Amino acid sequence: MNYYRINTAAPDQPEASLLIIYTGGTSGMVMDENRSLVPFDFSHILDNVPTLKQFNLILDVVSFEQPVDSSNMSPRHWVMIAEIIEKEYENHDGFVVLHGTDTMAYTASALSFMLEGLEKPVVFTGAQLPVSSPRSDAHENLITAIEIAAARKNGKAIVPEVSIFFDYVLYRANRAQKVESKHFDAFSSENYPPLAKAGIDIEYYHPAINHEKSSGLTVHKKLDDRVAVLKLFPGFNKVVAEKLLSISGIKGIVMETFGSGNAPSDSGLLEVLENAVNQGVVILNVSQCVGGHVVQGQYATSQTLKDIGVTGGEDMTTEAAITKMMWLFGMETDIDKIRALLSTSLRGEMVNRK
Ligand code: ASP
Protein backbone atom coordinates (compact mmCIF):
# COMPACT_ATOMS: atom_id res chain seq x y z
CA MET A 1 0.00 0.00 0.00
CA ASN A 2 1.25 3.47 -0.83
CA TYR A 3 0.42 6.18 1.72
CA TYR A 4 1.02 9.86 1.14
CA ARG A 5 -0.24 13.25 2.29
CA ILE A 6 -1.70 15.83 -0.08
CA ASN A 7 -0.13 19.20 0.27
CA THR A 8 -3.30 21.05 1.24
CA ALA A 9 -3.59 24.70 2.26
CA ALA A 10 -1.25 23.63 5.07
CA PRO A 11 -3.75 24.09 7.85
CA ASP A 12 -2.37 24.87 11.26
CA GLN A 13 -5.75 24.14 12.68
CA PRO A 14 -7.29 21.62 10.31
CA GLU A 15 -11.04 21.17 10.50
CA ALA A 16 -10.62 17.41 10.25
CA SER A 17 -8.25 14.72 9.15
CA LEU A 18 -9.40 12.37 6.38
CA LEU A 19 -8.06 9.33 4.63
CA ILE A 20 -8.92 8.81 0.96
CA ILE A 21 -8.75 5.15 -0.01
CA TYR A 22 -8.31 4.73 -3.75
CA THR A 23 -9.33 1.27 -4.97
CA GLY A 24 -9.80 1.95 -8.71
CA GLY A 25 -12.82 2.53 -10.94
CA THR A 26 -13.58 4.89 -13.80
CA SER A 27 -12.79 8.06 -11.84
CA GLY A 28 -9.08 7.24 -12.11
CA MET A 29 -9.06 5.29 -15.37
CA VAL A 30 -7.20 6.08 -18.58
CA MET A 31 -7.41 4.66 -22.12
CA ASP A 32 -5.00 1.86 -22.93
CA GLU A 33 -3.59 1.14 -26.40
CA ASN A 34 -6.78 -0.81 -27.31
CA ARG A 35 -8.91 2.21 -26.33
CA SER A 36 -10.28 0.31 -23.31
CA LEU A 37 -10.49 2.01 -19.93
CA VAL A 38 -8.03 0.58 -17.38
CA PRO A 39 -7.41 1.65 -13.75
CA PHE A 40 -4.57 4.08 -13.13
CA ASP A 41 -2.80 5.23 -9.98
CA PHE A 42 -4.13 7.99 -7.77
CA SER A 43 -1.59 10.59 -8.85
CA HIS A 44 -3.66 10.91 -12.02
CA ILE A 45 -6.63 12.13 -9.96
CA LEU A 46 -4.53 14.57 -7.98
CA ASP A 47 -3.21 16.14 -11.18
CA ASN A 48 -6.78 16.54 -12.36
CA VAL A 49 -8.43 17.78 -9.16
CA PRO A 50 -6.07 20.48 -7.94
CA THR A 51 -9.00 21.87 -5.87
CA LEU A 52 -8.14 19.20 -3.30
CA LYS A 53 -5.22 21.36 -2.28
CA GLN A 54 -7.55 24.16 -1.14
CA PHE A 55 -9.14 22.19 1.69
CA ASN A 56 -8.46 23.23 5.25
CA LEU A 57 -8.08 19.56 6.08
CA ILE A 58 -5.41 16.99 6.55
CA LEU A 59 -5.87 14.76 3.52
CA ASP A 60 -4.00 11.50 3.47
CA VAL A 61 -4.25 9.07 0.59
CA VAL A 62 -3.71 5.36 0.39
CA SER A 63 -3.99 3.58 -2.91
CA PHE A 64 -4.40 -0.10 -3.74
CA GLU A 65 -1.09 -1.15 -5.26
CA GLN A 66 -3.09 -2.49 -8.16
CA PRO A 67 -6.27 -0.43 -8.56
CA VAL A 68 -9.11 -2.55 -9.91
CA ASP A 69 -12.15 -2.21 -12.09
CA SER A 70 -14.86 -2.90 -9.54
CA SER A 71 -16.05 -5.93 -11.52
CA ASN A 72 -12.89 -7.54 -10.16
CA MET A 73 -13.68 -6.65 -6.55
CA SER A 74 -14.06 -9.61 -4.23
CA PRO A 75 -14.43 -10.20 -0.49
CA ARG A 76 -10.62 -10.19 -0.33
CA HIS A 77 -10.68 -6.54 -1.41
CA TRP A 78 -13.49 -5.73 1.04
CA VAL A 79 -11.27 -7.06 3.80
CA MET A 80 -8.37 -4.92 2.50
CA ILE A 81 -10.54 -1.79 2.79
CA ALA A 82 -11.77 -2.82 6.27
CA GLU A 83 -8.19 -3.40 7.42
CA ILE A 84 -7.08 0.04 6.23
CA ILE A 85 -9.96 1.64 8.14
CA GLU A 86 -9.16 -0.42 11.23
CA LYS A 87 -5.48 0.55 11.11
CA GLU A 88 -6.20 4.24 10.49
CA TYR A 89 -9.35 4.61 12.57
CA GLU A 90 -7.79 6.53 15.43
CA ASN A 91 -5.67 8.72 13.12
CA HIS A 92 -8.54 10.07 11.03
CA ASP A 93 -11.98 11.64 11.51
CA GLY A 94 -13.45 10.15 8.37
CA PHE A 95 -12.80 8.09 5.24
CA VAL A 96 -13.58 8.53 1.54
CA VAL A 97 -13.41 5.39 -0.57
CA LEU A 98 -12.95 5.88 -4.32
CA HIS A 99 -14.43 2.85 -6.01
CA GLY A 100 -15.85 1.79 -9.37
CA THR A 101 -19.59 2.21 -9.61
CA ASP A 102 -20.39 -1.25 -10.98
CA THR A 103 -20.11 -3.09 -7.66
CA MET A 104 -19.90 -0.14 -5.28
CA ALA A 105 -23.24 -1.01 -3.66
CA TYR A 106 -21.95 -4.53 -2.84
CA THR A 107 -18.64 -3.34 -1.34
CA ALA A 108 -20.27 -0.52 0.59
CA SER A 109 -23.02 -2.83 1.91
CA ALA A 110 -20.43 -5.41 2.96
CA LEU A 111 -18.42 -2.73 4.78
CA SER A 112 -21.55 -1.53 6.59
CA PHE A 113 -21.81 -4.98 8.17
CA MET A 114 -18.08 -5.55 8.67
CA LEU A 115 -17.57 -2.26 10.54
CA GLU A 116 -19.51 -2.74 13.76
CA GLY A 117 -19.75 0.21 16.13
CA LEU A 118 -18.67 2.69 13.45
CA GLU A 119 -18.73 6.29 14.71
CA LYS A 120 -16.98 7.98 11.78
CA PRO A 121 -18.09 8.62 8.19
CA VAL A 122 -17.05 6.17 5.47
CA VAL A 123 -18.22 7.76 2.21
CA PHE A 124 -17.94 5.78 -1.02
CA THR A 125 -17.84 7.65 -4.31
CA GLY A 126 -16.64 7.33 -7.89
CA ALA A 127 -17.55 8.61 -11.32
CA GLN A 128 -19.20 7.71 -14.60
CA LEU A 129 -16.53 9.54 -16.63
CA PRO A 130 -12.77 9.46 -16.04
CA VAL A 131 -11.42 12.44 -14.15
CA SER A 132 -9.34 13.49 -17.16
CA SER A 133 -12.49 14.00 -19.22
CA PRO A 134 -13.56 17.69 -19.24
CA ARG A 135 -17.16 16.73 -18.38
CA SER A 136 -16.21 14.24 -15.70
CA ASP A 137 -18.44 13.91 -12.65
CA ALA A 138 -15.42 12.80 -10.61
CA HIS A 139 -14.55 16.31 -9.40
CA GLU A 140 -17.94 17.11 -7.90
CA ASN A 141 -18.41 13.63 -6.44
CA LEU A 142 -15.00 13.57 -4.80
CA ILE A 143 -15.01 17.14 -3.50
CA THR A 144 -18.47 16.82 -1.91
CA ALA A 145 -17.73 13.34 -0.53
CA ILE A 146 -14.73 14.90 1.22
CA GLU A 147 -16.88 17.70 2.64
CA ILE A 148 -19.40 15.19 3.96
CA ALA A 149 -16.74 12.96 5.49
CA ALA A 150 -15.28 16.01 7.23
CA ALA A 151 -18.61 17.49 8.38
CA ARG A 152 -18.93 17.75 12.15
CA LYS A 153 -21.37 19.27 14.61
CA ASN A 154 -20.51 19.78 18.28
CA GLY A 155 -17.35 17.77 17.74
CA LYS A 156 -19.20 14.75 16.34
CA ALA A 157 -19.41 13.44 12.77
CA ILE A 158 -22.70 14.36 11.09
CA VAL A 159 -22.92 11.11 9.08
CA PRO A 160 -21.20 8.40 11.13
CA GLU A 161 -22.18 5.51 8.89
CA VAL A 162 -21.18 3.87 5.60
CA SER A 163 -22.70 5.85 2.75
CA ILE A 164 -22.50 6.41 -1.01
CA PHE A 165 -22.31 9.92 -2.41
CA PHE A 166 -23.15 10.25 -6.08
CA ASP A 167 -24.60 12.95 -8.32
CA TYR A 168 -25.48 15.35 -5.49
CA VAL A 169 -27.16 12.72 -3.29
CA LEU A 170 -25.90 10.88 -0.21
CA TYR A 171 -27.40 7.42 0.26
CA ARG A 172 -27.18 4.88 3.04
CA ALA A 173 -24.76 2.34 1.54
CA ASN A 174 -26.80 -0.77 2.25
CA ARG A 175 -29.94 0.81 0.75
CA ALA A 176 -28.36 1.93 -2.53
CA GLN A 177 -28.27 0.19 -5.90
CA LYS A 178 -26.61 1.05 -9.19
CA VAL A 179 -29.51 1.76 -11.54
CA GLU A 180 -27.95 3.68 -14.42
CA SER A 181 -24.85 3.00 -16.53
CA LYS A 182 -25.07 6.00 -18.83
CA HIS A 183 -26.37 9.05 -17.04
CA PHE A 184 -24.73 10.64 -14.04
CA ASP A 185 -27.45 9.67 -11.57
CA ALA A 186 -26.07 6.15 -11.25
CA PHE A 187 -27.55 5.27 -7.86
CA SER A 188 -30.93 5.13 -6.26
CA SER A 189 -32.36 4.12 -2.91
CA GLU A 190 -35.99 3.36 -3.48
CA ASN A 191 -36.83 2.22 0.04
CA TYR A 192 -34.95 4.74 2.16
CA PRO A 193 -34.70 8.54 2.00
CA PRO A 194 -31.43 10.26 1.10
CA LEU A 195 -29.14 11.10 4.02
CA ALA A 196 -28.21 14.41 2.37
CA LYS A 197 -28.54 16.41 -0.82
CA ALA A 198 -25.89 18.75 -2.14
CA GLY A 199 -26.92 22.05 -3.69
CA ILE A 200 -25.59 25.45 -2.74
CA ASP A 201 -25.46 23.99 0.77
CA ILE A 202 -25.26 20.38 1.80
CA GLU A 203 -28.62 19.67 3.38
CA TYR A 204 -28.53 16.82 5.86
CA TYR A 205 -31.69 14.84 6.71
CA HIS A 206 -30.78 14.21 10.32
CA PRO A 207 -33.65 11.87 11.26
CA ALA A 208 -32.54 9.46 8.49
CA ILE A 209 -28.94 9.26 9.70
CA ASN A 210 -27.86 6.38 11.90
CA HIS A 211 -25.91 7.04 15.09
CA GLU A 212 -24.85 3.66 16.43
CA LYS A 213 -24.47 3.28 20.17
CA SER A 214 -20.91 2.11 20.21
CA SER A 215 -18.29 0.94 22.60
CA GLY A 216 -15.65 1.09 19.89
CA LEU A 217 -15.05 -0.24 16.40
CA THR A 218 -15.07 -4.01 15.84
CA VAL A 219 -13.95 -5.09 12.39
CA HIS A 220 -15.33 -8.42 11.13
CA LYS A 221 -13.07 -9.92 8.48
CA LYS A 222 -14.47 -13.41 8.06
CA LEU A 223 -16.86 -13.74 5.15
CA ASP A 224 -18.29 -16.97 3.81
CA ASP A 225 -18.86 -17.15 0.06
CA ARG A 226 -20.90 -20.38 0.07
CA VAL A 227 -23.98 -18.40 -0.95
CA ALA A 228 -25.79 -17.65 -4.21
CA VAL A 229 -28.55 -15.54 -5.74
CA LEU A 230 -31.47 -17.25 -7.46
CA LYS A 231 -33.67 -15.07 -9.63
CA LEU A 232 -37.09 -16.50 -10.42
CA PHE A 233 -38.87 -15.94 -13.73
CA PRO A 234 -42.07 -17.34 -15.24
CA GLY A 235 -41.18 -20.75 -16.64
CA PHE A 236 -38.37 -21.27 -14.12
CA ASN A 237 -37.18 -24.88 -14.26
CA LYS A 238 -37.03 -26.43 -10.80
CA VAL A 239 -34.03 -28.53 -11.88
CA VAL A 240 -31.93 -25.35 -11.79
CA ALA A 241 -32.92 -24.79 -8.14
CA GLU A 242 -32.39 -28.47 -7.40
CA LYS A 243 -28.84 -28.40 -8.78
CA LEU A 244 -27.99 -25.13 -7.05
CA LEU A 245 -29.30 -26.23 -3.68
CA SER A 246 -27.53 -29.56 -3.84
CA ILE A 247 -24.06 -28.02 -4.32
CA SER A 248 -21.95 -29.44 -1.54
CA GLY A 249 -21.47 -26.94 1.28
CA ILE A 250 -23.99 -24.37 0.04
CA LYS A 251 -25.23 -22.42 3.06
CA GLY A 252 -27.58 -19.75 1.85
CA ILE A 253 -29.56 -18.51 -1.11
CA VAL A 254 -30.96 -15.06 -1.70
CA MET A 255 -34.06 -15.77 -3.76
CA GLU A 256 -35.36 -12.87 -5.86
CA THR A 257 -39.11 -13.31 -6.05
CA PHE A 258 -41.95 -11.40 -7.71
CA GLY A 259 -43.78 -8.38 -6.30
CA SER A 260 -44.26 -8.55 -2.56
CA GLY A 261 -42.35 -11.84 -2.26
CA ASN A 262 -44.33 -14.26 -4.40
CA ALA A 263 -43.15 -17.43 -6.14
CA PRO A 264 -44.85 -19.87 -8.52
CA SER A 265 -47.01 -22.37 -6.67
CA ASP A 266 -45.40 -25.16 -8.68
CA SER A 267 -45.12 -27.96 -6.15
CA GLY A 268 -41.87 -29.18 -7.67
CA LEU A 269 -40.08 -25.92 -6.88
CA LEU A 270 -41.59 -25.66 -3.42
CA GLU A 271 -40.54 -29.22 -2.63
CA VAL A 272 -36.96 -28.47 -3.68
CA LEU A 273 -36.92 -25.36 -1.47
CA GLU A 274 -38.47 -27.19 1.47
CA ASN A 275 -35.93 -30.01 1.29
CA ALA A 276 -33.10 -27.50 1.26
CA VAL A 277 -34.52 -25.59 4.24
CA ASN A 278 -34.91 -28.86 6.15
CA GLN A 279 -31.26 -29.62 5.46
CA GLY A 280 -30.24 -26.30 7.00
CA VAL A 281 -29.85 -24.14 3.89
CA VAL A 282 -31.06 -20.61 4.59
CA ILE A 283 -33.31 -19.17 1.88
CA LEU A 284 -33.89 -15.44 2.07
CA ASN A 285 -36.78 -13.95 0.11
CA VAL A 286 -36.15 -10.52 -1.44
CA SER A 287 -38.18 -8.88 -4.18
CA GLN A 288 -37.24 -8.19 -7.78
CA CYS A 289 -39.06 -4.87 -7.35
CA VAL A 290 -36.70 -2.10 -6.30
CA GLY A 291 -39.44 -0.42 -4.25
CA GLY A 292 -41.73 -1.92 -1.64
CA HIS A 293 -41.15 -4.96 0.50
CA VAL A 294 -41.68 -8.65 0.94
CA VAL A 295 -44.78 -9.59 2.92
CA GLN A 296 -44.84 -13.38 3.15
CA GLY A 297 -48.49 -14.32 3.54
CA GLN A 298 -50.06 -11.39 1.74
CA TYR A 299 -50.76 -13.71 -1.20
CA ALA A 300 -51.18 -17.48 -1.17
CA THR A 301 -48.12 -17.61 -3.44
CA SER A 302 -45.95 -16.33 -0.61
CA GLN A 303 -47.77 -17.93 2.33
CA THR A 304 -46.41 -21.29 1.14
CA LEU A 305 -42.86 -19.92 1.20
CA LYS A 306 -43.41 -18.86 4.79
CA ASP A 307 -44.88 -22.27 5.64
CA ILE A 308 -41.82 -24.14 4.37
CA GLY A 309 -39.40 -21.97 6.34
CA VAL A 310 -38.20 -19.38 3.81
CA THR A 311 -37.03 -16.24 5.62
CA GLY A 312 -38.65 -12.93 4.60
CA GLY A 313 -36.14 -10.24 3.63
CA GLU A 314 -38.53 -7.27 3.95
CA ASP A 315 -37.24 -4.36 1.81
CA MET A 316 -33.58 -5.35 1.61
CA THR A 317 -31.70 -4.90 -1.64
CA THR A 318 -30.08 -7.98 -3.15
CA GLU A 319 -26.70 -6.29 -2.61
CA ALA A 320 -27.38 -5.89 1.11
CA ALA A 321 -28.94 -9.35 1.42
CA ILE A 322 -26.08 -11.30 -0.14
CA THR A 323 -23.33 -9.40 1.71
CA LYS A 324 -25.24 -9.68 5.00
CA MET A 325 -25.45 -13.43 4.46
CA MET A 326 -21.72 -13.72 3.71
CA TRP A 327 -20.95 -11.76 6.86
CA LEU A 328 -23.37 -13.69 9.09
CA PHE A 329 -22.15 -17.09 7.85
CA GLY A 330 -18.60 -15.86 8.49
CA MET A 331 -19.24 -15.34 12.18
CA GLU A 332 -22.20 -17.51 13.19
CA THR A 333 -22.94 -21.21 12.95
CA ASP A 334 -26.34 -21.34 14.63
CA ILE A 335 -28.80 -21.45 11.71
CA ASP A 336 -31.78 -20.26 13.76
CA LYS A 337 -29.80 -17.28 14.95
CA ILE A 338 -28.70 -16.50 11.38
CA ARG A 339 -32.32 -16.65 10.18
CA ALA A 340 -33.40 -14.34 13.01
CA LEU A 341 -30.59 -11.86 12.31
CA LEU A 342 -31.38 -11.88 8.59
CA SER A 343 -34.86 -10.63 9.34
CA THR A 344 -33.68 -8.01 11.81
CA SER A 345 -32.30 -4.61 10.88
CA LEU A 346 -28.69 -4.49 12.10
CA ARG A 347 -27.29 -1.47 10.23
CA GLY A 348 -30.46 0.16 8.96
CA GLU A 349 -30.45 -2.13 5.90
CA MET A 350 -34.15 -2.97 6.22
CA VAL A 351 -37.31 -1.67 7.78
CA ASN A 352 -37.21 -2.18 11.53
CA ARG A 353 -40.29 -4.02 12.73
CA LYS A 354 -39.00 -4.49 16.29
N1 ASP B 1 -16.29 -0.53 -14.72
C1 ASP B 1 -16.13 0.58 -13.80
C2 ASP B 1 -16.00 0.04 -12.40
O1 ASP B 1 -16.96 -0.28 -11.79
C3 ASP B 1 -17.26 1.50 -13.89
C4 ASP B 1 -17.16 2.70 -12.96
O2 ASP B 1 -16.23 2.93 -12.26
O3 ASP B 1 -18.11 3.48 -12.99
O4 ASP B 1 -14.94 -0.10 -11.90
Side-chain angles (χ1 to χ4, degrees), residues 24-27 29 68-71 99-103 127-128 178:
T26 298
S27 53
M29 285 184 179
V68 289
D69 184 306
S70 77
S71 302
H99 192 288
T101 56
D102 288 351
T103 68
Q128 295 281 60
K178 182 169 180 181

Side-chain angles (χ1 to χ4, degrees), residues 112 118-123 157-164 170-174 192 195 208-212 347-348:
S112 77
L118 183 70
E119 288 177 298
K120 299 184 180 185
V122 175
V123 187
I158 294 184
V159 192
E161 58 171 296
V162 185
S163 59
I164 290 180
L170 184 72
Y171 305 95
R172 171 166 298 157
N174 53 35
Y192 198 75
L195 305 182
I209 298 171
N210 203 10
H211 292 264
E212 258 200 74
R347 304 277 192 276

Side-chain angles (χ1 to χ4, degrees), residues 2 7 13 20 38 46 77 83 86 90 102 270 317 342:
N2 308 315
N7 221 350
Q13 290 182 311
I20 301 172
V38 288
L46 254 194
H77 297 100
E83 282 176 340
E86 181 178 40
E90 292 311 324
D102 288 351
L270 294 174
T317 62
L342 278 171

Side-chain angles (χ1 to χ4, degrees), residues 320-346:
I322 196 76
T323 53
K324 185 176 180 182
M325 250 193 188
M326 292 167 97
W327 166 69
L328 283 174
F329 283 124
M331 54 172 201
E332 260 304 325
T333 48
D334 182 331
I335 297 294
D336 290 331
K337 204 163 168 197
I338 289 172
R339 286 196 179 116
L341 290 173
L342 278 171
S343 46
T344 308
S345 174
L346 302 175

Side-chain angles (χ1 to χ4, degrees), residues 238-250:
K238 67 154 188 162
V239 176
V240 177
E242 209 162 32
K243 291 276 179 219
L244 182 67
L245 288 162
S246 60
I247 293 172
S248 152
I250 192 93

